[in-house]
Amino acid sequence: MLSDILGQAIEAMKHNRRRTTITIVGMAWGIATVVLLLAYGAGFGQAFENIFAQFGTNMIGVFPGRTSEQAGGSKAGVQVRLTQDDVERIQETVPGVMRVAPTVDKTVPVQNDLHSFSWDVTGITPELQSIQRLELAEGRAITEADVQQRAHVTVIGSEAKTKLFSGLYPIGEKIRLNGVSFEVVGVMTPKMQEGDDNDINRQVNVPLTTMSDIKDTKYLDGIWMDYKGEPKMVEEALRKTLATAHGYRPSDRRAVFVANIMEQLTQFRIISLGLQVLLSFIGALTLGIAGIGLMNIMLVSVQQRTREIGVEKALGARKRHILMQFLAEALVISGVGGVGGIALAYAVAKGVGRITFYSALASNAEAGDIHLLISPNTVLVATVILVIVGTISGMIPAMKAASLDPIEALRYE
């Protein structure tokens, strides 16, 4: 039964090849538009994921500020100072925290025999390199032994290497930080960076203990940590711990500044999801226009085959047989157009390649550009939209054909 219906649908399509071809092209264009719009939305979301992933996502940074609310007998405006005790306190009391890394930084002259620049130098512990994903292009990282021995070693950013050493091999070379000699033991891989201010690719990292030769390290400029669990809960626990230790209200958001990277990423994910829904809607409308074309063609087909329908009914065909015959024809046209459209979308996605996005604003940001990502889920969503549009477009002409009076149909000229 089903094979007979499909056979009739294919024969009808062959009988009107030009009309059928035009309709199939319209459906293919519509489904290709849906797939490409969904692929663009997915690529947009992945671009943001890549931007955040280079620094780490389950990561929180906390920085000292001034109180803005009175607490107990203390007035607002008191400077909050973070110390090594806070590092240990966070590690021991904040649930979900895995690694904690203090930092101290200062802008100082960075020099070698040929060049002199004024850059930020940061005293770190080995944990920070894992928390912030400070990967190496050359040499080695700062180790726990370096911290314990107060070693005069440094790991520099990719741009710092270029500006200081040009094309020379930097490992083992000496540079002066605020007049103090350090040996370059590693060079970090380039990261995405907007503008020239505080360029992270000019980073100069030294062991935290050795940083005391450049700046007093009693008070910390920041504390970074990674964690597992719900970002909001970890942040609130962190704020309560520090508020209790320093005698200010946990609700005072200016006492310490908290950079919760996952919270920021979640906001961008919501934007990305909204964009994908909007693009899906636009794609569905585009395919709907193609569906209207299919409906019109099928209505013309019903009108031209009115006498044929009358003969079929006179020979015993029932309404459901006629209904399925024309609906099957519409679905076959939609199916062929859908396969062609998906193939076209894959070809366009491969041909387009990378669409400039973040790299227009930042250096080393190719991973933050948009790639048209056609996933199985994208194809599935597009197929569902196609089936719905094809069914609706074919159902109305099919119902009209099924409801024709056989006597009037036989009289039709």
Side-chain angles (χ1 to χ4, degrees):
M1 178 67 178
L2 182 60
S3 60
D4 293 338
I5 292 174
L6 290 176
Q8 288 179 338
I10 293 171
E11 285 300 319
M13 291 166 61
K14 288 181 178 179
H15 183 70
N16 298 284
R17 291 184 179 180
R18 181 180 299 176
R19 185 176 67 193
T20 300
T21 301
I22 293 173
T23 308
I24 288 175
V25 169
M27 296 301 291
W29 183 263
I31 195 66
T33 302
V34 173
V35 172
L36 289 173
L37 286 173
L38 290 174
Y40 182 88
F44 182 82
Q46 187 60 53
F48 275 115
E49 295 283 345
N50 291 342
I51 292 170
F52 279 89
Q54 69 162 342
F55 300 104
T57 50
N58 281 50
M59 177 176 68
I60 291 178
V62 59
F63 311 96
R66 289 184 179 273
T67 59
S68 60
E69 301 176 9
Q70 291 185 357
S74 300
K75 295 181 179 180
V78 176
Q79 176 74 52
V80 175
R81 297 185 180 276
L82 302 177
T83 66
Q84 192 66 38
D85 291 339
D86 291 308
V87 175
E88 297 170 4
R89 190 176 291 114
I90 291 169
Q91 185 77 72
E92 294 170 359
T93 62
V94 178
V97 168
M98 296 185 292
R99 291 169 293 195
V100 185
T103 62
V104 176
D105 57 77
K106 184 179 181 180
T107 301
V108 301
V110 179
Q111 304 165 311
N112 62 4
D113 293 336
L114 299 176
H115 304 282
S116 178
F117 303 94
S118 182
W119 290 336
D120 281 345
V121 174
T122 305
I124 68 170
T125 59
E127 290 80 9
L128 186 74
Q129 296 166 128
S130 299
I131 293 172
Q132 293 189 348
R133 299 183 181 177
L134 303 179
E135 299 176 354
L136 295 177
E138 300 174 79
R140 67 170 179 85
I142 291 173
T143 65
E144 189 62 41
D146 293 329
V147 175
Q148 292 176 0
Q149 297 168 11
R150 299 186 75 254
H152 281 224
V153 296
T154 180
V155 175
I156 62 176
S158 59
E159 188 176 343
K161 169 204 166 183
T162 301
K163 288 184 174 294
L164 287 169
F165 300 102
S166 299
L168 298 177
Y169 185 67
I171 306 303
E173 295 294 326
K174 300 287 186 178
I175 62 174
R176 296 183 300 280
L177 308 179
N178 204 30
V180 181
S181 179
F182 284 77
E183 179 185 348
V184 177
V185 296
V187 177
M188 287 176 277
T189 55
K191 286 185 177 290
M192 304 178 195
Q193 175 65 41
E194 294 183 40
D196 293 328
D197 296 334
N198 297 321
D199 193 324
I200 57 174
N201 292 314
R202 296 175 191 163
Q203 269 185 302
V204 178
N205 293 336
V206 301
L208 182 65
T209 50
T210 318
M211 186 68 183
S212 61
D213 291 346
I214 300 172
K215 178 185 177 180
D216 186 354
T217 58
K218 178 180 179 181
Y219 297 115
L220 306 176
D221 292 309
I223 301 174
W224 288 94
M225 65 210 74
D226 59 359
Y227 63 91
K228 55 185 178 182
E230 210 285 316
K232 199 70 177 175
M233 293 179 62
V234 175
E235 179 181 338
E236 290 305 315
L238 172 65
R239 287 186 180 277
K240 288 179 180 178
T241 295
L242 293 177
T244 301
H246 292 274
Y248 64 85
R249 297 170 185 255
S251 59
D252 191 344
R253 300 288 167 170
R254 294 187 178 181
V256 293
F257 298 98
V258 176
N260 194 336
I261 306 302
M262 183 56 76
E263 281 289 309
Q264 297 175 22
L265 178 57
T266 300
Q267 294 173 5
F268 280 109
R269 283 175 175 171
I270 293 172
I271 295 172
S272 176
L273 179 60
L275 177 65
Q276 291 186 55
V277 172
L278 175 62
L279 293 177
S280 300
F281 179 70
I282 295 173
L285 289 180
T286 304
L287 187 56
I289 294 172
I292 292 172
L294 172 61
M295 185 187 302
N296 288 334
I297 292 298
M298 293 303 300
L299 287 172
V300 171
S301 178
V302 170
Q303 185 177 14
Q304 291 178 343
R305 295 162 62 187
T306 299
R307 190 174 181 84
E308 175 190 331
I309 295 169
V311 172
E312 290 181 2
K313 286 197 168 186
L315 294 174
R318 299 192 177 187
K319 281 188 175 183
R320 67 174 182 272
H321 298 143
I322 305 299
L323 181 72
M324 288 301 298
Q325 177 184 341
F326 282 88
L327 182 59
E329 184 176 339
L331 290 177
V332 168
I333 291 175
S334 299
V336 173
V339 171
I342 291 172
L344 175 62
Y346 270 103
V348 171
K350 187 173 182 179
V352 169
R354 177 169 56 89
I355 300 174
T356 300
F357 177 51
Y358 194 53
S359 64
L361 304 173
S363 57
N364 307 303
E366 288 75 15
D369 285 340
I370 296 173
H371 295 262
L372 298 178
L373 302 177
I374 302 179
S375 65
N377 287 338
T378 298
V379 175
L380 179 61
V381 171
T383 302
V384 170
I385 296 174
L386 174 67
V387 170
I388 293 173
V389 171
T391 301
I392 294 174
S393 301
M395 184 62 73
I396 295 175
M399 291 174 64
K400 180 178 179 181
S403 61
L404 287 175
D405 182 86
I407 296 176
E408 293 297 327
L410 288 170
R411 290 177 180 174
Y412 184 82
E413 296 295 336

